[in-house]
Amino acid sequence: MYTVKDIYRWLDEYAPFRYAQSWDQCGLQVGDPQFPVERVLVALDPSSAVIAEASERNCRCLVTHHPLIFQPLRAVRLDVFPGSVIGRAIRSGIHLIAAHTNLDAAKLGTNHQLSELLGLQNVQPLESEDVWREQEQYGGMGRTGVLPESMTVQDVMLLCERVLHARGVRMVGSPDRQVRTVAVCTGSGGGMLQQVIDSGVDVFITGDLKYHEAQRALEAGLALVDVGHFASERLIVEPLVNYLKARGQSKRKPLQVFAAKCERDPFAGHAGIWHYRESN
Amino acid sequence: MYTVKDIYRWLDEYAPFRYAQSWDQCGLQVGDPQFPVERVLVALDPSSAVIAEASERNCRCLVTHHPLIFQPLRAVRLDVFPGSVIGRAIRSGIHLIAAHTNLDAAKLGTNHQLSELLGLQNVQPLESEDVWREQEQYGGMGRTGVLPESMTVQDVMLLCERVLHARGVRMVGSPDRQVRTVAVCTGSGGGMLQQVIDSGVDVFITGDLKYHEAQRALEAGLALVDVGHFASERLIVEPLVNYLKARGQSKRKPLQVFAAKCERDPFAGHAGIWHYRESN
Amino acid sequence: MYTVKDIYRWLDEYAPFRYAQSWDQCGLQVGDPQFPVERVLVALDPSSAVIAEASERNCRCLVTHHPLIFQPLRAVRLDVFPGSVIGRAIRSGIHLIAAHTNLDAAKLGTNHQLSELLGLQNVQPLESEDVWREQEQYGGMGRTGVLPESMTVQDVMLLCERVLHARGVRMVGSPDRQVRTVAVCTGSGGGMLQQVIDSGVDVFITGDLKYHEAQRALEAGLALVDVGHFASERLIVEPLVNYLKARGQSKRKPLQVFAAKCERDPFAGHAGIWHYRESN
Amino acid sequence: MYTVKDIYRWLDEYAPFRYAQSWDQCGLQVGDPQFPVERVLVALDPSSAVIAEASERNCRCLVTHHPLIFQPLRAVRLDVFPGSVIGRAIRSGIHLIAAHTNLDAAKLGTNHQLSELLGLQNVQPLESEDVWREQEQYGGMGRTGVLPESMTVQDVMLLCERVLHARGVRMVGSPDRQVRTVAVCTGSGGGMLQQVIDSGVDVFITGDLKYHEAQRALEAGLALVDVGHFASERLIVEPLVNYLKARGQSKRKPLQVFAAKCERDPFAGHAGIWHYRESN
Amino acid sequence: MYTVKDIYRWLDEYAPFRYAQSWDQCGLQVGDPQFPVERVLVALDPSSAVIAEASERNCRCLVTHHPLIFQPLRAVRLDVFPGSVIGRAIRSGIHLIAAHTNLDAAKLGTNHQLSELLGLQNVQPLESEDVWREQEQYGGMGRTGVLPESMTVQDVMLLCERVLHARGVRMVGSPDRQVRTVAVCTGSGGGMLQQVIDSGVDVFITGDLKYHEAQRALEAGLALVDVGHFASERLIVEPLVNYLKARGQSKRKPLQVFAAKCERDPFAGHAGIWHYRESN
Amino acid sequence: MYTVKDIYRWLDEYAPFRYAQSWDQCGLQVGDPQFPVERVLVALDPSSAVIAEASERNCRCLVTHHPLIFQPLRAVRLDVFPGSVIGRAIRSGIHLIAAHTNLDAAKLGTNHQLSELLGLQNVQPLESEDVWREQEQYGGMGRTGVLPESMTVQDVMLLCERVLHARGVRMVGSPDRQVRTVAVCTGSGGGMLQQVIDSGVDVFITGDLKYHEAQRALEAGLALVDVGHFASERLIVEPLVNYLKARGQSKRKPLQVFAAKCERDPFAGHAGIWHYRESN
């Protein structure tokens, strides 16, 4: 039978944990590497709902993109997050592995998926670290590329809605401006704004942008499309499910791997088509 | 005639600069305190567009909520922000004062305006510092209060759209949940999430929320309404215009004070009413 | 029925948690404050063995002197300490509270017990913080006092063996030197060596001394008696059991409180009476 | 026509900016790299007087050795230094480039000029960084060398007065001592005193020495000659003027480059020949 | 007989050591507080020459203004300063006490002596710390005051030469400018330049100024007179000698206290009256 | 004749000082490298007693394993350690060199001696730094190895007592457990506990263990034998004596080198065979 450590090892081959940012927490977050695993659930977030789904579906290993323990813990308080989820995981016998910024930086990671879905051509890393550059699994942080054809910022927004099943997509800059060159950064890309400006692309597609980042982009003449943190990263779940399934075929009883069904973007809204209104 | 220093002094009486957070940059950001001032422009942001408006309307003093220089400068590069705006201000002879977190914490500051517009009752500081607590102009960071009547989270969202002229408002949590007690924090309130959770209110109205903050609120059972950074703070411009006008009446030639007309929320979108869709 | 929070609150009245050192981790370490408690186990250490005893004796709340989580945790690894014990506690439904340096500094805390057992007279704090000094429950870090009568260092060693049931007691300095004034510090007292030297006492009774501390004491002409970390602190278990029992009498079903039976000093040895040997 | 960036690029070829110390601020300090330049002024300091001279002589680019912005700026106060000079430069359309410690460390930089003027032989770096050592333009920080012939410390002082047009030159150590081996460090060389002592030279020629540095040299038996910060560095202006002139010949309208005329050593005095007086 | 500790205690009454700056090293630097003392030498610096004089004059206690150990020592290297002087002091049985910034800040300390010699009127602290302000022995860092009559900067220079027996005095600013209000700071006063500028005085009299400080003063329109570090502080020796003599009268054998004779300003020069020359 | 520097150089060849840990203080601690040396004393500690022995035996150079100055010194107080010993050394003309963690890490250093005395086979570094790994004199921090035959923990304890002449040896873990693989770390090895656990050996032989280290070992199932800091390191004295003697043969008058006779383990005790007692 496979163990938690096998899953960890396979993830490390797909998206080596050494690629993680220094401030990040990745790898086995709750659990025992020797624990036997027959069924794995893959999700974006280690939320209470996801733990419940893992438990109901009898998955003893949970692989998520976002880490559960980010600030080092001084206590495991079972009544408040994240201790509440840690307690739930331990009592349900669920072992949790997070593949976060290592997965963002991997060749076939989140940024790769986003670039593929958008049909980008001539894809390059937005930023890459010298020490990993030559390695086969390394793709760098973010990507730059070229849209198949020139289109307006508003059309980029509509394209993102369609291919990412995203709602509440926002844009910064004139909707009618023609753009062709693109930078993408999944998750929350505001921290890479300066690199994007320096790269000289027309539009930056990312998620979770802040107001002051939008202002800086306006001053620099860079268009932004914010597809939401969720939509920009949920797209990695299926590829991970397929990858782990493929790896877990070598024993008599193959590994069963599932995508979480309960996850939704926490943000909802009621917005209309607000950029058409006269008064703005 | 009045001077830049007079404007500074009046702002300090309205929202003492000592109330500013330690990490913040407030006060005279570009200019000479002794410069004579006849006309003042008040705005939310020291953007290129606002500087241009100040110049066109012949206002030699500009008062904004957001600071222009946030990271200390190693050079004044006239081709990149914020040096580009600094250069424009100096060449146009415009003197810039920022009243940022001191204004957030003031009794009649941004959080007060938001609480008033929402009709909150029994308003209290969300957080207040012991050293200022007894001072007349101090109001604390954020506020808690009670809505005039119980309503759903979705109705809170609609109320915010109406009274703040906000678009692209987002919510987190079940739209149909009844709420009554409220915390507000203008601008970007995610940093106060723990205090809001600890306060036990039903819903937190703020701007510029990040995905992981939404997840934490979901785990804690707290509803969120994100009205946008712009809408939550633009509301301070009129009160400041009126205040400065009232102060500048003591000389033969009264001070003229205007609200900037060119400011728009940088975020636009095309979102539909996304939380009603079945598939989510 | 009582809750974990009641136990916490009573401990806070006995030895206020605010007395804890800034580097220390005290209070609820694993658990939920609202959990109902009928039986409490009190121990020195949150070891695997103690958790097992708590579980066997059906105690859902465990009070220890030493904290379980000292270095903030980046992961809860169930196969290595302290994650192994955290996991065991959560799976057994045991809620853990640590009263560490707050208990050392309390009026009736570990240092008080040691001073009492040694029969010290004219007992004073070795070090006390101005901000707590006037508070009734505060006793300060360490104590100074006077032995009932003058005796040799070796007799102090024998006295400690007897009253603390300690074995492997060590001494530094001439065995035959007469001493009368004493400083005590339970646990590991080497960090207070300079204060003890400055206090001018004859002998310092503590535990867990390091070689270089012994050398410094020799140079300063201070005698040391090292009774072991375990023996110097195990003595607080009985007083705590009695205190908690007394507090838990107000409900119809009184709280049951027990002292752990499984704890032993981890150090064993085979030493003879080594200081008498000629060759040393 | 040439641009500010061309000047920057040429300076970087003469004295690569990467050679600058980590604590230093070099490069474009105020301005826009794309601005067209026909006339350049070169000076030691970006003072008000020098900005005025640049403006009067219609030079839109100013190259100085000393930086204008040293401590990162939290505000550009036009009434106090350095904001006063920044404002003056921006209003006069003057773009400022500083070549500071990169120029000190360059092969043909300040230390080279000083060594040449003193006629030093067998010149070597006083300190050199491994990473740059092999590069053609690199000369290291400070120099050591040998005087053409042995002379007294007082004669070294007189030599410096003559070749550097320096006044107020000071010396430390016996005036009549014979010296031959020399270390030089332009500007303020006190920070390199230990390296000079370790190098074993007879006399250290530098500027801007402090009292405690003089005392340390006395204890180490090292003679000092302090020629003043100004005199030790003003000597770089002419070589820079000639270099930039030579570079700006490739376009139809050659670049015009001038040395500032208004600069004087700020220190004046009335000292006599004080070391001959009896009473000292 | 008196002990080293008595001398320390008397100095602490004259210039309490708690007034010392946080970065400073004051008090007993080398020695044993219990050592008996019959003869004391007072000097500005703990140099080799001064130690030799103390030894020759049979003074077992040396009081200096400047500390010997400034950077904490990782080794006592007897061949290099300051270990060479420490070794010499220990072998000669000389116990060294330094009264440095506590003496600068004392009511009757270095700044007081300088103000007295210049005949300043209406003397006030240039900077004073709230916590000490009310204490009788406290005078603050630096002083401001008014000259008996208006005079030129050059006349201030000549006045300083005369009353301080200073040579090599330098000035910054126009020699013929009339000044009346003064700030003084003994030793090396450049660190207080901003406070002096803010105080609005005409001229700042201090020692050991650096080039960039001179430039900043020029930009601010402040005149400077640099009398040298030595001349500005040597003046405290006689008052200290007299004070210690007066204190050491209570035993049958009165304390003998001497001023060091061997101290000279380490800087010598050959400068002429350089500010009159045409070419500058 | 030889000098202090010769001894330093030979030690640097035996145990290069660059191998020392970054937090350590090694090398010439008190003295002058040029001082001539005829007789050397080698000891574990630079104690008062050892300095006295060096003086009595007319050894002007003292080589110790432990450094005298560990915390950088702000003063040399002759009445308190370590100033008291520094003063004694200087007055006695004794020059002190410490070879501490460089000697621990050396190929023929303390850990090598301990491994040899225990008869370990297949000895490897417990931890080794990449940068030194290939160097001939480098052995790494700590060692792992295999006992000649399997034995009980108690037998390991008895073996250590015999070969190290150690008393007061302590053990942690079951006395009767059979062990074969070993890690050793001389001095105070608690800081390497995690590496030892990760290495998977049966028993860790070291000195100066703390209580919480013992608890962690128990949780990890690792047996400990604590032979005392003194016994684990005193064993290096003889090899150093022999090495230095061998090096000092090249001049007509060979160097004389002695082992200190006065050193004793500061800890004494009266312990019995405590692990056999029933009640524990």
Side-chain angles (χ1 to χ4, degrees), chain C residues 44-49 66 81 84-85 157-158 161 167-173 188 208-212 214-216 218-219 226 229-230 264-275 277 279-280, chain F residues 44-49 66 81 84-85 157-158 161 167-173 188 208-212 214-216 218-219 226 229-230 264-275 277 279-280:
Chain C
L44 182 58
D45 280 283
S47 63
S48 299
H66 290 136
F81 184 84
S84 53
V85 176
M157 191 176 83
L158 295 170
E161 285 182 358
R167 275 170 290 163
V169 176
R170 303 181 297 173
M171 64 185 162
V172 174
S188 178
D208 233 359
L209 285 165
K210 301 277 284 186
Y211 179 75
H212 292 300
Q215 289 283 14
R216 270 179 66 207
L218 272 183
E219 293 286 342
D226 181 337
H229 197 122
F230 182 86
R264 296 289 177 279
D265 189 338
F267 288 108
H270 166 260
I273 307 178
W274 75 78
H275 70 273
R277 294 193 188 170
S279 64
N280 194 359
Chain F
L44 182 59
D45 281 282
S47 63
S48 300
H66 290 137
F81 184 85
S84 53
V85 176
M157 191 176 83
L158 295 170
E161 286 183 358
R167 275 171 290 164
V169 177
R170 303 181 297 173
M171 64 185 162
V172 173
S188 179
D208 233 359
L209 285 165
K210 302 276 285 187
Y211 178 75
H212 293 300
Q215 289 283 14
R216 270 179 66 207
L218 271 184
E219 293 286 342
D226 181 336
H229 197 123
F230 182 85
R264 296 287 177 280
D265 191 337
F267 288 108
H270 166 261
I273 307 178
W274 75 78
H275 70 274
R277 292 193 188 171
S279 66
N280 193 358

Side-chain angles (χ1 to χ4, degrees), chain D residues 15 22 40 78 88-89 91 99 102 116 129 133 139 142 146 168 200 207 251 254 272:
Chain D
S22 60
V40 174
L78 299 173
R88 202 177 279 242
R91 281 190 307 260
N102 59 317
E116 286 287 297
E129 293 188 44
R133 196 165 304 179
V146 182
K251 302 237 163 142

Side-chain angles (χ1 to χ4, degrees), chain E residues 145-168:
Chain E
V146 182
L147 289 165
E149 52 185 350
S150 181
M151 57 178 83
T152 64
V153 174
Q154 178 161 307
D155 285 342
V156 175
M157 192 176 84
L158 294 170
L159 171 67
C160 291
E161 286 183 359
R162 199 174 65 242
V163 302
L164 302 172
H165 310 291
R167 276 171 291 163

Side-chain angles (χ1 to χ4, degrees), chain F residues 11-280:
Chain F
L11 288 169
D12 194 47
E13 288 173 22
Y14 189 86
F17 287 105
R18 63 183 176 274
Y19 296 168
Q21 300 290 302
S22 59
W23 47 259
D24 196 18
Q25 309 285 0
C26 284
L28 182 57
Q29 290 230 310
V30 177
D32 179 347
Q34 304 308 330
F35 200 84
V37 174
E38 293 183 9
R39 297 162 68 91
V40 175
L41 191 71
V42 179
L44 182 59
D45 281 282
S47 63
S48 300
V50 164
I51 297 284
E53 182 177 346
S55 182
E56 280 158 24
R57 298 173 78 174
N58 204 22
C59 297
R60 307 302 290 267
C61 181
L62 172 64
V63 173
T64 63
H65 183 43
H66 290 137
L68 174 57
I69 303 175
F70 197 74
Q71 295 299 330
L73 292 174
R74 290 178 147 71
V76 181
R77 282 277 302 268
L78 299 172
D79 55 327
V80 288
F81 184 85
S84 53
V85 176
I86 294 171
R88 201 177 280 242
I90 289 175
R91 281 189 307 261
S92 308
I94 292 168
H95 302 250
L96 168 63
I97 304 174
H100 190 211
T101 51
N102 59 317
L103 193 54
D104 293 329
K107 177 156 216 119
L108 299 177
T110 54
N111 284 295
H112 169 79
Q113 300 300 329
L114 179 52
S115 303
E116 286 287 298
L117 287 170
L118 294 171
L120 296 190
Q121 295 164 354
N122 191 20
V123 177
Q124 302 291 334
L126 173 57
E127 186 181 275
S128 88
E129 292 189 43
D130 290 357
V131 64
W132 316 124
R133 196 164 304 178
E134 300 303 318
Q135 302 192 352
E136 197 188 346
Q137 304 109 315
Y138 187 68
M141 290 304 286
R143 300 287 189 278
T144 58
V146 182
L147 289 165
E149 53 185 349
S150 182
M151 57 179 81
T152 64
V153 175
Q154 178 162 306
D155 286 341
V156 175
M157 191 176 83
L158 295 170
L159 171 68
C160 291
E161 286 183 358
R162 197 174 67 244
V163 301
L164 302 173
H165 311 293
R167 275 171 290 164
V169 177
R170 303 181 297 173
M171 64 185 162
V172 173
S174 166
D176 301 326
R177 184 169 152 213
Q178 290 288 318
V179 294
R180 183 87 195 266
T181 55
V182 176
V184 301
C185 180
T186 57
S188 179
M192 299 196 78
L193 192 54
Q194 192 58 52
Q195 289 98 314
V196 175
I197 291 170
D198 293 345
S199 77
V201 298
D202 299 331
V203 61
F204 182 27
I205 302 172
T206 184
D208 233 359
L209 285 165
K210 302 276 285 187
Y211 178 75
H212 293 300
E213 294 160 358
Q215 289 283 14
R216 270 179 66 207
L218 271 184
E219 293 286 342
L222 172 73
L224 302 176
V225 173
D226 181 336
V227 304
H229 197 123
F230 182 85
S232 80
E233 297 199 319
R234 189 51 175 52
L235 43 73
I236 195 63
V237 171
E238 290 303 332
L240 272 189
V241 166
N242 294 335
Y243 168 74
L244 291 174
K245 253 186 208 158
R247 291 303 301 260
Q249 299 293 335
S250 60
K251 303 239 162 136
R252 223 179 47 175
K253 195 166 179 189
L255 191 74
Q256 290 184 278
V257 190
F258 311 95
K261 292 176 182 162
C262 69
E263 293 193 287
R264 296 287 177 280
D265 191 337
F267 288 108
H270 166 261
I273 307 178
W274 75 78
H275 70 274
Y276 287 142
R277 292 193 188 171
E278 280 287 294
S279 66
N280 193 358

Side-chain angles (χ1 to χ4, degrees), chain C residues 21-33:
Chain C
Q21 300 290 301
S22 59
W23 47 260
D24 196 18
Q25 309 286 0
C26 284
L28 181 57
Q29 290 230 310
V30 176
D32 179 346

